[in-house]
Amino acid sequence: YENGILVEKDLDQAHTLYQSSANDGHFNSYERLVNYYRFLTNEKDNASLIFYLEKIIDSIDKETQKDDYLKYCSLLGQEYYSINEYNKARPLLLEAANGNQTDAFENLIRLYNDNKDEKLRWINRAAENGLLSAIHYLAFGYLENVTYYGIDKNTTKGLELYKKATDRGYCPSIINYAMLHENGLILKQN
């Protein structure tokens, strides 16, 4: 019913069937319900989404399904973050980020707004793991001398990082890098 294959598409019916299957403890139904609450319904139901994410995490073998476990820790951490449950979000996001789940870094970095050393440590870690927004942030910091976060001015490093994020298609970096060229502030104009 979810996709309307061989039957008319009916998300309400799909939801009912997934819920029935989930009540019987079927793991795949937990995943389908998470997708339903994240993408298929117009009504945000944080409580149900959290409930099924917790069910998934409880059902996963951390050793043999480590990547899936970390992915769902990240999703649950992000969900707790979105409803300002920071004490519940932090350990999940830390676990996911320590497992190099790049999607966990964004909210984890925000959790450390009051601790510049931890914030910078996680920004660096996120950049090392390829998170483009972190690479962009560091590039800006190196060029603008954002000492509040402990970044000393380093024009060469800043340009290298902007180029890296630009080459990978990160729009804010592309714009800033183009402006540097356009204005001739750092680079020679072509």
Side-chain angles (χ1 to χ4, degrees):
Y1 287 98
E2 179 181 325
N3 297 313
I5 299 172
L6 302 176
V7 295
E8 187 175 327
K9 185 173 182 171
D10 184 342
L11 293 179
D12 291 332
Q13 181 64 22
H15 178 260
T16 299
L17 292 169
Y18 290 145
Q19 203 138 32
S20 175
S21 180
N23 290 340
D24 290 335
H26 295 284
F27 179 82
N28 290 344
S29 295
Y30 300 152
E31 290 184 314
R32 296 308 317 151
L33 285 164
V34 165
N35 285 333
Y36 175 84
Y37 290 116
R38 289 182 70 209
F39 305 118
L40 300 176
T41 183
N42 292 328
E43 297 175 23
K44 185 71 171 167
D45 184 349
N46 296 90
S48 293
L49 181 54
I50 287 170
F51 176 80
Y52 288 111
L53 284 167
E54 287 175 343
K55 287 282 206 185
I56 289 171
I57 289 172
D58 291 343
S59 301
I60 289 179
D61 182 331
K62 295 178 189 179
E63 300 305 316
T64 61
Q65 298 172 292
K66 186 172 183 148
D67 288 341
D68 286 337
Y69 173 74
L70 293 172
K71 174 181 81 172
Y72 286 111
C73 282
S74 179
L75 287 173
L76 183 56
Q78 290 173 52
E79 199 56 36
Y80 277 130
Y81 181 89
S82 76
I83 61 170
N84 302 323
E85 295 269 355
Y86 303 130
N87 289 334
K88 291 181 180 179
R90 181 175 277 114
L92 292 159
L93 293 170
L94 280 168
E95 185 159 8
N98 280 320
N100 296 324
Q101 289 287 317
T102 56
D103 54 344
F105 286 112
E106 289 279 351
N107 289 327
L108 185 60
I109 289 166
R110 288 186 196 106
L111 285 173
Y112 287 107
N113 275 338
D114 295 339
N115 183 333
K116 68 179 184 177
D117 293 333
E118 275 300 296
K119 182 176 180 116
L120 183 59
R121 183 171 83 81
W122 284 107
I123 290 170
N124 277 303
R125 180 87 181 274
E128 290 166 8
N129 281 279
L131 185 64
L132 295 174
S133 59
I135 294 168
H136 174 82
Y137 181 87
L138 288 175
F140 178 80
Y142 282 123
L143 288 176
E144 301 296 325
N145 193 22
V146 182
T147 55
Y148 176 75
Y149 292 114
I151 301 173
D152 294 325
K153 189 169 181 118
N154 184 330
T155 302
T156 302
K157 183 73 172 168
L159 292 173
E160 287 171 5
L161 290 171
Y162 266 141
K163 175 114 175 67
K164 182 177 182 177
T166 294
D167 289 347
R168 294 188 48 210
Y170 190 65
C171 191
S173 290
I174 293 169
I175 292 167
N176 287 7
Y177 199 62
M179 286 176 23
L180 292 170
H181 277 288
E182 176 185 330
N183 297 324
L185 295 174
I186 303 294
L187 307 171
K188 292 180 183 176
Q189 288 181 318
N190 291 332

